[in-house]
Amino acid sequence: MKKIMIKCIRFYQKYLSCLKGYSTCIYYPTCSQYAIEAIQKYGALKGGALAVWRILRCNPFAKGGYDPVP
């Protein structure tokens, strides 16, 4: 399951993220890279939950900045 999720994220990074029209992210690492690191470290369930929580926090009102995987 981890490999499938990571492959989907890599596909998004390579082919879909460039279609958004902008390439800046307010967080470092980017949300997709954060998701990959979280899934690799914690597995599909907990890492996926951390990735979803990060994506939900990514909005125009967030301060952004350095936010590593715990």
Side-chain angles (χ1 to χ4, degrees):
M1 189 67 177
K2 282 172 46 171
K3 290 181 182 181
I4 293 170
M5 291 175 75
I6 291 172
K7 285 185 186 223
C8 289
I9 295 168
R10 295 268 188 226
F11 177 82
Y12 165 79
Q13 286 177 329
K14 188 170 185 179
Y15 297 108
L16 300 178
S17 67
C18 62
L19 299 176
K20 291 189 306 186
Y22 55 90
S23 62
T24 60
C25 184
I26 60 172
Y27 286 109
Y28 178 79
T30 63
C31 293
S32 56
Q33 187 60 40
Y34 180 93
I36 290 172
E37 292 174 14
I39 292 168
Q40 287 174 339
K41 186 172 182 179
Y42 293 109
L45 288 178
K46 186 174 180 182
L50 286 170
V52 168
W53 179 244
R54 167 71 176 271
I55 291 169
L56 291 174
R57 289 185 291 145
C58 189
N59 61 66
F61 304 108
K63 293 182 181 180
Y66 182 63
D67 184 28
V69 176

